[in-house]
Amino acid sequence: TWFTLCVRKRQVGEPPLENGWIPFLGVALEFRQNPLEFLRSKQRKYGDSFTCKIAGNFFTFIMDPFSYSAVFRQGKNLDFQTFAIETSRKVFGHADFNDPIYNRNYKEIHALFRQTLQGPALHNLTSSMMENLQTVMLRNKTSEWTTEGLQSFSFRIMFEAGFRTLFGREEKPSEMENIEPKKFQMTTAMDNFNVFDRAFPEIAAGFPIYLLKKAYTAREALTERLQHKYLKKNHGLSALIERRMNLFDQMPYLDELGKARTHTAMLWASQANTLPATFWSLYYMLRSPEALKVAQTEVERVIQESNQKLDKMKKTVVLSKEQLDSMSALGSIIDEALRLSSASIMIRVATENFVLNMDSGKNVSIRKGDRIAMFPQMIHMDPEIYENPTEFKFNRFLDENGQKKTFFYKNQRKLKNFLLPFGSGVSECPGRFFAVNEIKQFLALVVFYYDMELKDPATPVDIDCSRAGLGILPPKHDVLFRYKLKDCISE
Ligand code: HEM
């Protein structure tokens, strides 16, 4: 609109304003190049809140972690859902769930996340994931060393196991598992997922997917396979997908492809962050001999406690949700990997002009239509909260008793929000417990089954920052490692 194209003037009570020097784009390019450095430099200049024009929108950044709660509490004047649905619709091409004709159903659909991903429902998901992970891992039973990219290894195992856990599998008999066509289908699905996911930042930023031919074709191919006529034949569908299918089937305005598009969105939400988070957890664990040792000891302890003998193992390992919860060393490794790789941005849209009361006592005027943004990487990389913040410390999230550490401080004050890879408030990830569980299962199983080593542990892997704002950042490139089934298992 003309309004956003024109240079805006700061009003009394509003935070300092950066219009940038490029019309419309504002500071978008500088911000995208390195959000962390950009925000740090603006914080030095302006303090704990300031407004920047980014691609036609005005974003007020809240930098002080003690003021995050003030935003999370502001249910009345801040909206998340409308904006989230708009973005998701741009990317996945599903129906406009902001339209009142979907209102009641959408609330029900949203409520399903908690009902089927948390609490008692997590037990079923956990045991299904445990079985699926081992099916995929143990397809290759050779006792030789295998060399593979660590990213390729963790992605293919987690993708297939996670896919099967949510969307089920085509048929039961386990002797059918090895046949080529099915393997091919899963590989194709994963290739399509990767092609689509690589284009995700551009599409989310507003670039029409129709112009990104490969990404569009990949998304449509994924969607084709997630139609109800196929899913209904699958065994072992998760409650989440089964109940979503029932609800979508009751929505007269949705056609079959329209329903499938919502499943593609769910597939993406369940995998896009989990895959790189699994990579980093395994990578950091293998790179630190101490971390690996502690993980091995913990896995051995839990397996022994549950009387599953390593040498007499014929069947797959079973670890209950409670056992996984008790694995605090693996938990700390995962939290530390998430801290180092997470770069999501939390956004809310102001539905009215209102005043935000910051923790410092300062009042900040926010205009209707503006966005409030929080970038938790600022907290994750704050040396006052985390000493040597760029370093991996496997026990950073363990207290002196080896239990989960929950006390972190800034300015001698205890922080409520110190680790936010899953967001917080209304937009907090409903899959967070399942996500941590499945990464723990993956780590426990690779430690249990394999001898593993990185080919070149001395050379660090850089993080690809081009996706900052979207969640867990992937590595810039893959790294080689080798693995081999432990002798006592392959015999
Ligand atoms: C939303 C992170 C795994 C399901 C989110 C959001 C974040 C996030 C930051 C909020 C996005 C926003 O504020 O715009 C992560 C990370 C994961 C992970 C870091 C893994 C390490 C999962 C898994 C599932 C899942 C495994 C499901 C099985 C969802 C859903 C939403 C969401 C459905 C949207 C919720 C809504 O619209 O209210 N996730 N997630 N996530 N996540 Fe996750």
Side-chain angles (χ1 to χ4, degrees):
T1 63
W2 270 111
F3 180 67
T4 48
L5 286 171
C6 295
V7 172
R8 161 161 151 177
K9 294 237 160 47
R10 182 182 174 193
Q11 311 267 320
V12 179
E14 285 183 347
L17 173 67
E18 278 262 342
N19 277 303
W21 50 272
I22 313 176
F24 186 75
L25 279 183
V27 297
L29 301 180
E30 268 176 273
F31 176 76
R32 274 201 66 181
Q33 211 164 35
N34 191 337
L36 192 62
E37 272 319 305
F38 174 83
L39 292 175
R40 277 180 177 156
S41 78
K42 298 302 162 206
Q43 186 181 31
R44 282 193 292 271
K45 191 165 165 193
Y46 298 123
D48 277 340
S49 62
F50 46 85
T51 304
C52 296
K53 182 154 98 174
I54 299 179
N57 288 303
F58 289 90
F59 287 80
T60 296
F61 285 94
I62 306 298
M63 307 302 285
D64 162 30
F66 292 107
S67 294
Y68 276 30
S69 309
V71 179
F72 300 144
R73 277 198 310 265
Q74 272 283 343
K76 208 168 76 182
N77 303 312
L78 289 176
D79 174 67
F80 170 70
Q81 187 173 303
T82 314
F83 161 80
I85 290 177
E86 253 168 47
T87 310
S88 166
R89 191 170 156 234
K90 250 189 313 206
V91 178
F92 298 102
H94 56 58
D96 181 4
F97 292 107
N98 283 318
D99 188 317
I101 58 167
Y102 296 110
N103 198 2
R104 206 193 102 243
N105 302 87
Y106 190 77
K107 285 203 177 102
E108 278 180 75
I109 293 163
H110 205 262
L112 280 184
F113 291 147
R114 285 187 110 193
Q115 294 163 18
T116 60
L117 288 170
Q118 301 178 12
L122 202 48
H123 289 271
N124 278 344
L125 277 178
T126 303
S127 61
S128 170
M129 186 70 188
M130 201 68 189
E131 216 179 294
N132 286 324
L133 275 170
Q134 291 172 87
T135 303
V136 180
M137 272 183 201
L138 300 179
R139 261 200 208 114
N140 175 1
K141 278 235 172 77
T142 103
S143 53
E144 304 294 312
W145 283 101
T146 306
T147 299
E148 190 178 348
L150 191 71
Q151 188 183 26
S152 142
F153 173 84
S154 37
F155 273 40
R156 80 178 159 75
I157 292 173
M158 281 302 261
F159 182 85
E160 181 169 356
F163 191 105
R164 290 163 63 113
T165 301
L166 286 197
F167 297 98
R169 57 188 180 274
E170 260 169 39
E171 54 207 297
K172 188 81 189 90
S174 53
E175 61 276 14
M176 303 279 286
E177 294 290 354
N178 281 321
I179 62 170
E180 269 315 301
K182 219 158 280 126
K183 237 172 95 183
F184 173 72
Q185 276 181 6
M186 193 48 80
T187 315
T188 309
M190 194 168 150
D191 289 346
N192 283 331
F193 181 88
N194 284 332
V195 170
F196 169 63
D197 184 46
R198 237 171 279 137
F200 193 96
E202 281 168 278
I203 310 167
F207 198 82
I209 186 170
Y210 310 102
L211 300 179
L212 300 166
K213 199 147 189 322
K214 279 192 186 149
Y216 179 71
T217 312
R219 185 191 79 183
E220 294 304 291
L222 284 172
T223 301
E224 165 69 28
R225 296 262 297 119
L226 292 173
Q227 289 186 74
H228 286 197
K229 64 179 174 190
Y230 300 119
L231 292 182
K232 277 179 182 155
K233 288 195 201 135
N234 281 4
H235 296 263
L237 274 179
S238 63
L240 170 68
I241 297 303
E242 200 159 59
R243 290 182 56 191
R244 276 168 75 87
M245 286 166 66
N246 286 340
L247 281 178
F248 291 133
D249 280 343
Q250 291 164 31
M251 293 165 81
Y253 309 103
L254 285 182
D255 62 13
E256 290 307 308
L257 267 182
K259 295 171 196 171
R261 291 188 194 289
T262 66
H263 299 311
T264 310
M266 197 57 232
L267 173 68
W268 186 84
S270 68
Q271 298 273 3
N273 286 306
T274 311
L275 299 177
T278 306
F279 165 83
W280 288 116
S281 302
L282 177 57
Y283 169 73
Y284 286 122
M285 182 179 81
L286 292 182
R287 229 185 140 211
S288 154
E290 250 182 317
L292 185 57
K293 184 92 209 55
V294 168
Q296 278 162 341
T297 311
E298 187 167 76
V299 173
E300 267 162 37
R301 169 182 63 78
V302 172
I303 300 262
Q304 256 164 25
E305 274 170 15
S306 62
N307 286 329
Q308 304 182 50
K309 290 276 167 347
L310 195 116
D311 47 356
K312 295 202 185 102
M313 265 265 318
K314 287 279 178 290
K315 288 186 299 187
T316 51
V317 183
V318 180
L319 292 177
S320 67
K321 189 184 156 295
E322 288 72 22
Q323 285 172 311
L324 288 167
D325 288 343
S326 79
M327 300 173 100
S328 46
L330 288 187
S332 176
I333 291 171
I334 295 166
D335 279 351
E336 179 69 339
L338 290 172
R339 182 186 71 80
L340 285 166
S341 60
S342 148
S344 55
I345 190 164
M346 289 186 273
I347 295 176
R348 305 284 188 271
V349 182
T351 52
E352 295 298 333
N353 290 339
F354 77 101
V355 173
L356 186 69
N357 312 114
M358 305 279 281
D359 175 76
S360 61
K362 201 166 73 180
N363 292 330
V364 175
S365 298
I366 306 288
R367 284 191 211 182
K368 180 177 176 177
D370 281 4
R371 283 143 198 234
I372 301 238
M374 288 157 291
F375 193 60
Q377 200 182 28
M378 290 290 297
I379 300 176
H380 300 162
M381 289 293 153
D382 184 338
E384 210 189 318
I385 305 169
Y386 299 105
E387 201 188 340
N388 299 326
T390 54
E391 229 173 74
F392 174 83
K393 290 191 188 161
F394 76 94
N395 57 357
R396 209 187 276 274
F397 292 94
L398 291 178
D399 65 16
E400 54 283 2
N401 302 318
Q403 300 303 308
K404 192 179 173 85
K405 181 173 167 179
T406 50
F407 291 89
F408 288 86
Y409 296 86
K410 186 174 169 72
N411 300 334
Q412 280 100 45
R413 274 177 74 190
K414 187 171 177 261
L415 274 166
K416 183 161 180 275
N417 299 300
F418 54 86
L419 184 65
L420 292 164
F422 297 106
S424 191
V426 284
S427 67
E428 188 166 25
C429 173
R432 62 196 180 280
F433 304 110
F434 175 56
V436 171
N437 252 0
E438 59 180 340
I439 301 174
K440 253 189 202 171
Q441 292 175 312
F442 174 87
L443 292 183
L445 288 171
V446 291
V447 161
F448 178 73
Y449 283 124
Y450 299 119
D451 292 320
M452 297 171 282
E453 56 199 38
L454 286 171
K455 184 125 187 277
D456 181 10
T459 311
V461 181
D462 290 331
I463 290 190
D464 174 4
C465 291
S466 66
R467 290 174 69 104
L470 287 172
I472 305 296
L473 304 173
K476 260 197 182 147
H477 52 81
D478 206 350
V479 272
L480 288 178
F481 90 123
R482 57 178 205 154
Y483 60 98
K484 159 173 136 13
L485 271 183
K486 285 184 180 154
D487 293 339
C488 48
I489 289 165
S490 59
E491 274 156 14

